[in-house]
Amino acid sequence: MAKARSLVGLDVHAAKIVAAVLDAETGELRFFRIGGDVGEAAGLCAGLPRPVRAAYEAGPTGYGLARELARRGVECVVAAPSKIPRASGERVKTDRRDAEHLVRLLLAGKLHPVRVPGVEEEALRDLVRARDAVRQDLMRCRHRLSKLLLRHGIRFDDGRAWTERHRVWLADVALGWPAAQSTLADAIGAVDALVHRREALEREIVALLPVSPWQVQVGRLRCLRGIDTLTAAGLCAEIGDFERFARAEQLMSYVGLVPSENTTGEQRRLGAITKTGSGHARRLLVEAAWHYRKRPTIGKTLTARHDGQPAEAIAVSWSAQQRLHRTWTRLEQRAKRRTIIAVAAARELAGFCWAITTRIE
């Protein structure tokens, strides 16, 4: 990588961008304030003495600026906000200071870049996240409806909630007061609408996967117990390119499933998991890990998912079943809480996800 002549720190907002331009040879620092137009900011960087390196924090404005800079031949670092070092005693925060802070960290090589997804991949990720947002909204609506009935002393005792039988039962519930009945009808309508939206998004995701950049990865991940199409798509959306991690431990750390640590002198203290990175990916792995409580087996459903996949992937899937079941058995014998065991199993499952997507030709 050639040494940059011009370094640019960009504090990016929706309506404005503040640029701090540092000349690496003379040390001169200049500031520019421009509109929020991506093309204008990229033009400013492209017009500086070459080579040029730019940096800005990942945020709600997305990756359009990074793509435009790359198109104009400007190297760009999209920095991870959580890993930008900041002085604990610094109490003044302005756009100029943020831009200058970025450009000086860029010069020192202290910025940690995030991966910039392709346009198609980002669109698919937005679709997967839209489905997850609807799932969360549906859960909240169901909770509100259940608490409404509970306040009226009404409970469903004929099996599991939110089945077809439960839906038929809901249609016959009468609360006695017109206002309460209207509230119940509105809550039921909200649940039905969200179920319809969720199913439509799931159909769209399944239809797009065969021609998506994740086609191979989804097929391999589906070989693992507890990971079917939507879970595999969610992991690909949040993790992206599995091969950017050199070791399985790096992926475990990326999804926040490794223990926090506070080691001083001779004392080594391990705490709760770090919970860094994507909470969505972490939740999917923990949910999948519960499937490994049962003894290893390959049933009809898993056999169908193995169809057409490499023998090495199937072997990794079987190894995962054996190891993760041993983890469940060992920790249950030590009287660990099942929620803690599930997290421990999810950490190991992340390693198998890395192996099945990167170590098979």
Side-chain angles (χ1 to χ4, degrees), residues 120-121 124 205-223 229 232-233 236-237 240 242 305 308-310 356-357:
E120 181 184 4
E121 183 182 344
L124 283 167
I205 292 169
V206 172
L208 291 173
L209 283 178
V211 293
S212 74
W214 307 331
Q215 179 185 5
V216 175
Q217 288 87 344
V218 167
R220 303 279 172 82
L221 289 170
R222 290 178 74 244
C223 292
T229 305
C236 289
F242 286 83
R305 300 211 302 259
Q309 296 302 318
I356 209 169
T357 53

Side-chain angles (χ1 to χ4, degrees), residues 88-104:
S88 59
E90 192 172 310
R91 294 292 184 269
V92 179
K93 186 180 185 303
T94 65
D95 295 342
R96 281 173 61 103
R97 280 174 175 259
D98 287 345
E100 181 180 353
H101 188 52
L102 278 173
V103 76
R104 295 199 182 280

Side-chain angles (χ1 to χ4, degrees), residues 111-125:
L111 292 177
H112 295 265
V114 301
R115 176 177 172 269
V116 178
V119 178
E120 181 184 4
E121 183 182 344
E122 186 176 17
L124 283 167
R125 187 180 67 179

Side-chain angles (χ1 to χ4, degrees), residues 90-311:
E90 192 172 310
R91 294 292 184 269
V92 179
K93 186 180 185 303
T94 65
D95 295 342
R96 281 173 61 103
R97 280 174 175 259
D98 287 345
E100 181 180 353
H101 188 52
L102 278 173
V103 76
R104 295 199 182 280
L105 290 174
L106 181 63
L107 176 64
K110 298 295 185 181
L111 292 177
H112 295 265
V114 301
R115 176 177 172 269
V116 178
V119 178
E120 181 184 4
E121 183 182 344
E122 186 176 17
L124 283 167
R125 187 180 67 179
D126 288 342
L127 181 62
V128 172
R129 288 181 174 178
R131 184 258 176 189
D132 189 60
V134 170
R135 180 196 64 81
Q136 294 181 45
D137 292 343
L138 176 60
M139 182 174 62
R140 294 188 188 100
C141 280
R142 285 175 168 176
H143 283 172
R144 283 196 292 268
L145 195 154
S146 298
K147 300 307 177 286
L148 170 65
L149 295 177
L150 191 59
R151 289 196 298 274
H152 288 269
I154 299 175
R155 294 176 178 83
F156 178 70
D157 299 321
D158 190 16
R160 296 180 60 185
W162 308 114
T163 60
E164 188 63 32
R165 181 183 299 174
H166 179 253
R167 184 64 185 80
V168 172
W169 173 82
L170 276 177
D172 295 332
V173 171
L175 298 183
W177 297 93
Q181 197 67 35
S182 297
T183 305
L184 176 62
D186 178 75
I188 293 174
V191 169
D192 290 344
L194 287 167
V195 168
H196 176 75
R197 287 175 56 194
R198 184 192 62 182
E199 291 174 350
L201 289 169
E202 288 176 353
R203 287 194 299 269
E204 189 69 17
I205 292 169
V206 172
L208 291 173
L209 283 178
V211 293
S212 74
W214 307 331
Q215 179 185 5
V216 175
Q217 288 87 344
V218 167
R220 303 279 172 82
L221 289 170
R222 290 178 74 244
C223 292
L224 295 164
R225 191 177 193 176
I227 299 181
D228 207 341
T229 305
L230 293 173
T231 301
L235 290 173
C236 289
E238 298 301 323
I239 296 170
D241 183 11
F242 286 83
E243 293 187 354
R244 63 195 171 108
F245 302 101
R247 305 188 313 277
E249 292 80 6
Q250 293 179 350
L251 176 57
M252 298 174 191
S253 177
Y254 178 77
V255 295
L257 286 170
V258 297
S260 57
E261 181 175 351
N262 185 4
T263 299
T264 304
E266 299 300 321
Q267 289 186 333
R268 183 170 183 260
R269 297 177 180 175
L270 297 179
I273 59 172
T274 60
K275 293 187 178 181
T276 58
S278 169
H280 183 200
R282 188 165 55 252
R283 178 185 62 80
L284 292 174
L285 288 167
V286 172
E287 287 180 353
W290 283 91
H291 289 77
Y292 294 87
R293 289 178 57 202
K294 299 178 181 179
R295 64 179 180 82
T297 185
I298 300 179
K300 185 183 298 184
T301 302
L302 196 55
T303 300
R305 300 211 302 259
H306 287 171
D307 187 40
Q309 296 302 318

Side-chain angles (χ1 to χ4, degrees), residues 13-50:
H13 299 276
K16 69 171 182 177
I17 298 173
V18 176
V21 179
L22 178 65
D23 190 310
E25 292 186 358
T26 65
E28 180 187 6
L29 181 65
R30 295 176 294 160
F31 292 94
F32 299 88
R33 181 188 174 110
I34 54 181
D37 181 64
V38 167
E40 187 178 356
L44 170 67
C45 296
L48 297 171
R50 303 276 180 141

